[in-house]
Structure formats: C-alpha cells, structure tokens
Amino acid sequence: MTGIAPASKLRIAISGGGIAGLTLAVTLYRYVSERSSLEVDIYEADPEVRTAGAGITIWPRTWTVLRHLGLYDAMSKHAVKGPTQGEEGGRKPAFIARKADQPEEGFDYCYVLAPSGSTTMHRRDMIDVLLGNLPPCCKLHTSKRLTGYSRLHDMNPERARNELSPLLQLSFADGSTARADVLIGADGIHSATRYAMYADTHSAECLHASLPNASLERWQECERCKAALPVWSGVHAYRFLIPTEELYTLNPDHTTRSIGSVLCYSGKDQQVITYQISGGKYLNFVAPCREPNGDGAPYDGKWVTEAPREELLSRFTHWEPEVQQMLQCVKQPTRWAVHVVENLPFAVRGSVALVGDAMHAMTPNFGAGGGQAIEDAYILGRLLANLRVTHTRIPAVLQIYERVRLPFTTDIARRAREVGLMYEFNAPGYYSGPADPEAADVEDGHVVVGEGGTGESAREELEELGRAIHEMWEWQWTLEFDEQWEAAAKELDEVLR
C-alpha cells in the first residue's frame, strides 16, 4: 500500500482513527519542522471514523494541550461551558454530587470547583475538528482492521543492517499489508496492537524466563502478560441522549438546566451522571450500576447492547423526582459492560507503542479517558516530530514516552476506580447508606445512617465524603500538564546528544 519513501522519511503507522489517533497525527504535523520528513498513515478498522459514546468532558489539562495545538477556538465553538462567573478564587463549578436514592427531593453533598469549571461536548464534534485539522499529506485509510505485525529484520536479517529500511510489516483483516518504521496502537480497549505486542513479548521474554507461570505457552495465562486482557469492572452503564426540550418541558426548574457542570445523582451501588452537549440540545445520561460480585468476573455476552427500558426503570424505583423525570425521557437505552485495562507492565516494545484506551481504558468516573488519550498523543507526537529522531533512536524515544505516561495514567485509572466507589457509597471508611434503605429513618428531610454507619446524620457523613471526593478531583488542575512535557523533553535532549 505504501511505496518506497525517500531515505529521510520517518514512516509512522497509527492503528485507530479515534480521538487518540487523530490527535497524534495533528501533533506530529504541528511540530515537525519539515513535513516531508514524515509519512503518516492512519488505519481505521471501520468504513468511516466513528465514536464510542456521545459525550466528552474537557478539563483544564486537556485545554492546555488543545491550546498548544491551536485547536482551542475550534473546539470552543462546540463546547457547552459552565457559568461565566467564578466563585472561589476564580474557580467555577466542575462536578457536583447529589444524594438522590430516596423518594423525596435530593440534596448536594459535594461541590467541586475548578479553575475553568467543566466543559462538555459531543465526541462527534471533537472528531470532526480533529479531522478538519489533518494536513492533506496525512493518509487516512478506512476498513483497515489491524490483525498483527511482524519485525522485518526477523524475516530478513539483512534489513537490520540498513537503518533506512522499514522496521515493521503490518497485517490487516482484508489480507493486505503495509510497512512502517513505527506503529502506534490507538485502537481502543480491544487493541489488536496490544494483543500482538504482548503475544510477541511473551514469546521472546517470558517463555524462557524465571517468571511465575513462565512455562505457560499462552500469553493470556502468563502472570505478567495477562494484564493486557480487558477486565470487567462489575458495572453496567445505561446510556441515552435526552432531548433537553422534552425534559425541561416536564420540569422547567430541573437542576441540570442551569447548574453548568457535571452532575452526579448518587445512590447505593449506582449513580446517574449528566451533562449537556451539542450546544445544550441534549443531556448526556449515563447510569452506572454495580452488579453483585461482578468486579473481575468473566463477562459473557456483548459488551454493548440495547436494554429494555423497564430494566433501567427498575434500578431507580425509589429515587428522587428529578431522576424519575429524566427516566421518563429515556426511550431506548443501551447497556454497556464497563471493562478496563489496568496496571499494564509495559506499553512500549521496540518501535511499537500504545496510546489512549489501548494503554489505559479506565472507568468513566472522572470523565478523563478522552483527555488522557489527548495527553498521550501530544507527548508522543512531539517526541517523534523531532528531526533528530532517527530510525535507530526510535526505541529509546518511545521508552521516554512510556516512563512519562504509563505510571501517570495507571495512577489516574486507580483513582477513577476509587472515586467511583465514593459516588456509589461503597468506599471503605465513608458513608455507606443505611443497611435497609426502605426502613431508614428520616429527620428534617434527610436519611439518617442506620446499621453500618457511624450513627451521625447522613448529611454530616455525606459532607465528609464530599470533601474526600473533592480531594480526589484536584489532580485535574493541581498537576500541570506542561511539567510532564518538560520532563519528556529533558529526557529527549539527553537521548539525542
């Protein structure tokens, strides 16, 4: 598919045309000083570039990257922003949690303020902006589902002596092949790049090493390599886009109309996350519900499927009026089995690297998956765009990316898990709800903690929980993204000396 390139070209193949893959391509061409030195091909499995899910939140770190890429104005046109006036020190509402698992009206127990509040948009709008910023010289190939790759110097040792020969041969489901110097797996939670990377590494490193279960021939059973397999989080998330006109006709004073932030309706074992997208035309409705003994259990069946409306309604029978009003507007929900890829021991091998969900598919409790994919792509793109990065230096440069990004995203995925337990009143040491919600006492309009609590008012315990949630969110604006890039740039200078 790809012809012989000039000797100076660095040939980069990106598997996946989603947010991570497109951002990587935009970054490469934004920072390379000579476009003729790069040849970038994006291989998208589907017949067209699609999106998984509807809404995406953009937090301060992500806006930093978009400004660097010159995309701030284009993205802002599609974004739904919070209140224009700040509150404490110029901060604005970003995330609000509200106790909602009772028949009477709920109340807020957590109020997270961030420097720019929360900004939300439709994923399709973000994809379109990224596509519109791809240069003509970047080639997008559709209906190209990667099935694996091989190192060409393994096939022909003579190639290893020629630095300018392509390092990799890619194989696709349609029987075609392509060649590249670098392969970036931006192919999501089902990443064929990740599977191939771990299968190859298991064969080369584990089978003959003194590792636990190293004698096992299948990488999926190796104690180290099976981390590449997605694991069910034990959560089903019901999704639907609610037309705001319909909802606000039912209740003109519905909190989601004017709150200007992500709003979480919290309850025992489940929650409803909402925010406006598409210029306020729709309310993104996501209802994560925990299943007993589901975390880590094998999952049979399709991960995404249509769900009976009655199934969703039965989950929230005794919840507050605002939740019931939203449920009246949910017509045909889909049910998503939320899977994760956590604690990968590595995300780079040789001239192959992973970005986005292929490296760190996480629970959606921070709304951070898309932002972290953008950060991955930016740092990796800037590293590879340096003209001094030759073929022989590619592995060392990719290792810089891994050292900077893999520990960070692993930690964010861990925090996302923990904060999700807080939303659903399952976090150890915090408010856990009454042992029997239907038999709970009510004082002054709020539930009093029964067996399993501390005996204090639920409102007091929830305020303590709210403070803990706020602390969990602070990384979004206290950890500066530019510091990560500066660390990567410093390492790159050392490698290129």
Side-chain angles (χ1 to χ4, degrees), residues 43-63:
Y43 298 99
E44 168 57 37
D46 290 329
E48 61 182 6
V49 176
R50 299 174 181 172
T51 61
I56 186 170
T57 47
I58 306 178
W59 302 105
R61 290 174 60 96
T62 311
W63 279 121

Side-chain angles (χ1 to χ4, degrees), residues 315-334:
R315 297 277 195 166
F316 298 93
T317 304
H318 301 293
W319 283 49
E320 69 157 297
E322 286 204 345
V323 173
Q324 302 305 321
Q325 292 155 6
M326 288 188 289
L327 291 173
Q328 287 184 52
C329 302
V330 175
K331 309 303 182 187
Q332 294 179 318
T334 54

Side-chain angles (χ1 to χ4, degrees), residues 57 95-97 237-240 242 256 261-266 270-276 283-288 316 319 323 326 364-367 420 423 473:
T57 47
F95 176 89
I96 296 173
Y238 298 85
R239 298 175 181 262
F240 188 75
I242 296 176
T256 59
S261 72
V262 177
L263 177 58
C264 173
Y265 294 83
S266 288
Q270 49 209 45
Q271 47 183 299
V272 175
I273 303 289
T274 64
Y275 53 85
Q276 292 184 16
L283 187 72
N284 194 40
F285 174 98
V286 183
F316 298 93
W319 283 49
V323 173
M326 288 188 289
N365 301 307
F366 280 134
Y423 302 162
W473 272 85

Side-chain angles (χ1 to χ4, degrees), residues 11 30 34-35 56 59 128 139 142 173 176 211 377 428 469:
R11 290 150 288 204
R30 171 79 174 180
E34 296 179 18
R35 287 192 173 184
I56 186 170
W59 302 105
D128 288 343
K139 300 174 185 176
T142 56
S176 63
L211 295 173
I469 291 173

Side-chain angles (χ1 to χ4, degrees), residues 64 108 126 151 162 197 296 305 315 401 406 431 459 477:
T64 297
D108 300 342
M126 175 173 280
R151 292 188 295 270
N162 183 2
M197 175 190 290
T305 183
R315 297 277 195 166
Y401 161 75
L406 183 58
Y431 173 74
R459 192 180 293 271
W477 59 89

Side-chain angles (χ1 to χ4, degrees), residues 101-115:
D101 61 341
Q102 69 285 316
E104 65 273 8
E105 184 179 353
F107 58 87
D108 300 342
Y109 68 89
C110 177
Y111 204 66
V112 176
L113 299 175

